[in-house]
C-alpha cells in the first residue's frame, strides 16, 4: 500500500497546473499501469498452498484469478477461469476463523486443488460463478 500511495502522490504532484480533463486522462493512464488495475481485489488470510505469502492479495477479473504478494505485488499464482472445474465453500473449522473457497482446476490429466481462507469467500464464490456463467452465454 505504501508503494501505491507513493506512486499516486507522485502522479498527483505532476498533475498540478493541468486542466481538469488533462488531469483526468493522466490519472487514468497512471492508474491503469498498476498491477491490480481492472481486478476486484480480496485479502486472502491463508491458503492451502504454503508457498503463497500470508496474507496475499487475490485479484479477480473476467479471465483470471491471480494471487500477489501484498508487499512487492509480485505475481505468485495465476488460474485461468476457463480452467476451473468446481468451486466449494468450506465452513471454518474453528469458530473464530473465516470460511474458505476451494477451487478445483486444471485438466483431467493434471487436476489441481487449492483453497483460500478469506472473510468474503461466499461473495468470491458467487462472483466467480457469475463470471463463468456470463462467459458461457456470451460465446
Amino acid at each position: 500500500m505504501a508503494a501505491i500511495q507513493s506512486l499516486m502522490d507522485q502522479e498527483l504532484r505532476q498533475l498540478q497546473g493541468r486542466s481538469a480533463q488533462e488531469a483526468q486522462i493522466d490519472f487514468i493512464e497512471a492508474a491503469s499501469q498498476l498491477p491490480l488495475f481492472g481486478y476486484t481485489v480480496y485479502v486472502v488470510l491463508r491458503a492451502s498452498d504454503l508457498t503463497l505469502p500470508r496474507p496475499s492479495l487475490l485479484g479477480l477479473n473476467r479471465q483470471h484469478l491471480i494471487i500477489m504478494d501484498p508487499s512487492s505485488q509480485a505475481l505468485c499464482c495465476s488460474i485461468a477461469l476457463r480452467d476451473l472445474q468446481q468451486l466449494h465453500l468450506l465452513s471454518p473449522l474453528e469458530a473464530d476463523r473465516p470460511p474458505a473457497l476451494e477451487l478445483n482446476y486444471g485438466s483431467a490429466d493434471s487436476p489441481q486443488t487449492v483453497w483460500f481462507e478469506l472473510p468474503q469467500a461466499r461473495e468470491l464464490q458467487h462472483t466467480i460463478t457469475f463470471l463463468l456463467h456470463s462467459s458461457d452465454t456470451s460465446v
Side-chain angles (χ1 to χ4, degrees):
M1 290 306 288
I4 292 172
Q5 180 67 41
S6 175
L7 177 62
M8 295 312 296
D9 287 345
Q10 177 185 346
E11 291 298 326
L12 289 172
R13 280 192 298 278
Q14 291 177 359
L15 295 177
Q16 292 176 343
R18 299 196 177 186
S19 72
Q21 186 176 18
E22 289 173 328
Q24 288 173 344
I25 291 168
D26 287 348
F27 178 82
I28 291 169
E29 287 174 349
S32 69
Q33 299 305 309
L34 295 172
L36 290 169
F37 181 78
Y39 286 86
T40 301
V41 180
Y42 300 88
V43 176
V44 172
L45 303 176
R46 278 194 314 174
S48 59
D49 181 344
L50 299 177
T51 64
L52 297 176
R54 291 174 65 176
S56 300
L57 298 177
L58 185 152
L60 177 67
N61 70 13
R62 290 188 171 275
Q63 291 87 29
H64 292 95
L65 179 147
I66 60 172
I67 302 294
M68 297 185 81
D69 184 306
S71 57
S72 67
Q73 295 191 358
L75 183 65
C76 300
C77 174
S78 178
I79 300 170
L81 292 189
R82 70 176 179 273
D83 293 340
L84 289 176
Q85 304 300 322
Q86 290 183 320
L87 305 171
H88 299 284
L89 189 65
L90 304 175
S91 299
L93 295 176
E94 301 169 25
D96 63 337
R97 301 298 307 184
L101 183 63
E102 181 181 77
L103 307 170
N104 297 308
Y105 64 99
S107 66
D109 297 335
S110 179
Q112 298 186 37
T113 300
V114 65
W115 56 258
F116 301 111
E117 183 183 88
L118 66 159
Q120 303 87 1
R122 184 177 303 277
E123 174 188 330
L124 179 59
Q125 178 189 27
H126 290 301
T127 304
I128 292 172
T129 301
F130 173 81
L131 291 173
L132 291 172
H133 178 70
S134 67
S135 69
D136 287 344
T137 59
S138 65
V139 176

